[in-house]
């Protein structure tokens, strides 16, 4: 798809478990960003990883980027019920100035 | 910092009327703002890029005469949905790019506006 793919589309886990979401794309990128969206709300920026970076951490979040495979992953460790939300990757392509969003992963963390 | 507000948060209107949505960057200047539309359980689709002091750039398939965009100042962009129809019902989200980090295109998103056209 032009938007790129995220998998899984939906993920349901228990509190305390880790959650991994993946994002793939087809073009060259300047950077890749991960966002979170609670139901019916706006987006919250989580992490930005540049094309020359391989891994980045922020609290319980870990993002990796493999430009050779054109993929990124978001890992949430020790998940909490409050982490329940949709997570989107968005890439800034080197050829343009706009963000292109992936299809998103709906994460449900059960207490 | 980097707060973006949208107004209204929710609007219900009759078919054929026009609705204006405001997007403001509260603590930074934004030469560029973006308007997205999101249908239920779907991703964000970019509608247009709003540039302060110039015409907006619309994505393919988005009618510029139906979705009027005005970016008259460095902190305000407005989207007017003209002659709204039920199929325009959606969640409209704006974002603003902080010019201090423009090279990363890090965007800060508003809380969204839920438009329902009866």
């Amino acid at each position: 798809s032009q938007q790129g793919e995220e998998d899984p589309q939906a993920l349901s886990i228990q509190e305390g478990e880790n959650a991994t979401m993946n994002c793939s794309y087809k073009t060259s990128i300047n950077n890749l960003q991960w966002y979170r969206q609670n139901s019916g709300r706006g987006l919250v920026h989580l992490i930005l990883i540049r094309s020359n970076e391989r891994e980045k951490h922020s609290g319980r979040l870990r993002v990796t980027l493999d430009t050779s495979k054109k993929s990124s992953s978001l890992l949430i460790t020790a998940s909490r019920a409050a982490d329940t939300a949709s997570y989107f990757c968005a890439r800034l392509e080197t050829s343009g100035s706009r963000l292109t969003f992936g299809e998103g992963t709906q994460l449900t963390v059960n207490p | 910092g980097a707060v973006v507000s949208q107004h209204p948060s929710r609007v219900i209107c009759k078919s054929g009327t026009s609705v204006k949505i405001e997007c403001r960057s509260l603590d930074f200047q934004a030469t560029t703002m973006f308007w997205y539309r999101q249908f239920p359980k779907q991703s964000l689709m970019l509608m247009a890029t709003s540039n302060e002091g110039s015409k907006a750039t619309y994505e393919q398939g988005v009618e510029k005469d139906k979705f009027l965009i005005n970016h008259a100042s460095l902190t305000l962009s407005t989207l007017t949905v003209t002659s709204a129809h039920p199929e325009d019902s959606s969640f409209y989200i704006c974002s603003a790019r902080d010019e201090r980090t423009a090279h990363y295109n890090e965007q800060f998103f508003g809380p969204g506006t839920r438009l329902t056209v009866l």
Side-chain angles (χ1 to χ4, degrees), chain B residues 5-90:
Chain B
S5 69
Q6 264 184 257
H7 178 79
S9 58
R10 188 181 296 267
V11 58
I12 301 173
C13 69
K14 293 182 179 179
S15 189
T17 60
S18 294
V19 174
K20 180 185 283 189
I21 303 171
E22 292 185 349
C23 178
R24 292 181 186 274
S25 58
L26 298 186
D27 50 2
F28 65 99
Q29 293 184 336
T31 305
T32 306
M33 291 184 175
F34 302 87
W35 287 96
Y36 296 84
R37 181 167 51 185
Q38 185 181 33
F39 291 107
K41 298 192 184 302
Q42 294 189 21
S43 186
L44 279 72
M45 294 298 293
L46 180 65
M47 299 176 65
T49 302
S50 170
N51 303 295
E52 187 268 338
S54 65
K55 291 183 179 180
T57 304
Y58 290 81
E59 295 299 303
Q60 193 172 9
V62 178
E63 300 175 57
K64 62 180 181 180
D65 294 329
K66 180 168 182 63
F67 298 100
L68 301 179
I69 291 173
N70 184 284
H71 193 157
S73 78
L74 287 172
T75 59
L76 173 64
S77 175
T78 61
L79 168 68
T80 301
V81 183
T82 62
S83 187
H85 290 283
E87 56 266 30
D88 298 324
S89 297
S90 188

Side-chain angles (χ1 to χ4, degrees), chain A residues 21-38:
Chain A
M21 290 158 269
N22 304 294
C23 172
S24 63
Y25 55 92
K26 297 180 180 178
T27 60
S28 297
I29 62 170
N30 178 300
N31 65 62
L32 190 142
Q33 303 173 34
W34 285 89
Y35 290 85
R36 166 200 168 115
Q37 183 182 35
N38 285 67

Side-chain angles (χ1 to χ4, degrees), chain A residues 3 6 30-31 33 35 37 39-45 48 50 88 92 96-99 101-104, chain B residues 34 36 38 41-46 49 59 91 93 97 102-112 114:
Chain A
Q3 284 185 274
E6 283 189 60
N30 178 300
N31 65 62
Q33 303 173 34
Y35 290 85
Q37 183 182 35
S39 181
R41 308 290 293 274
L43 273 72
V44 174
H45 183 266
L48 180 154
R50 303 170 208 165
F88 294 93
L92 176 64
S97 61
R98 64 196 192 107
L99 286 177
F101 282 81
E103 293 159 2
Chain B
F34 302 87
Y36 296 84
Q38 185 181 33
K41 298 192 184 302
Q42 294 189 21
S43 186
L44 279 72
M45 294 298 293
L46 180 65
T49 302
E59 295 299 303
F91 193 54
I93 306 176
R97 189 169 68 191
H103 51 290
Y104 292 134
N105 203 15
E106 181 177 355
Q107 298 178 25
F108 298 93
F109 285 80
R114 174 76 59 194

Side-chain angles (χ1 to χ4, degrees), chain A residues 26-70:
Chain A
K26 297 180 180 178
T27 60
S28 297
I29 62 170
N30 178 300
N31 65 62
L32 190 142
Q33 303 173 34
W34 285 89
Y35 290 85
R36 166 200 168 115
Q37 183 182 35
N38 285 67
S39 181
R41 308 290 293 274
L43 273 72
V44 174
H45 183 266
L46 297 176
I47 288 184
L48 180 154
I49 186 166
R50 303 170 208 165
S51 60
N52 62 352
E53 297 178 312
R54 292 296 166 259
E55 189 170 309
K56 215 163 181 180
H57 296 252
S58 176
R60 294 185 294 113
L61 307 180
R62 181 172 79 103
V63 167
T64 61
L65 179 64
D66 187 335
T67 52
S68 66
K69 295 182 179 178
K70 290 185 165 52

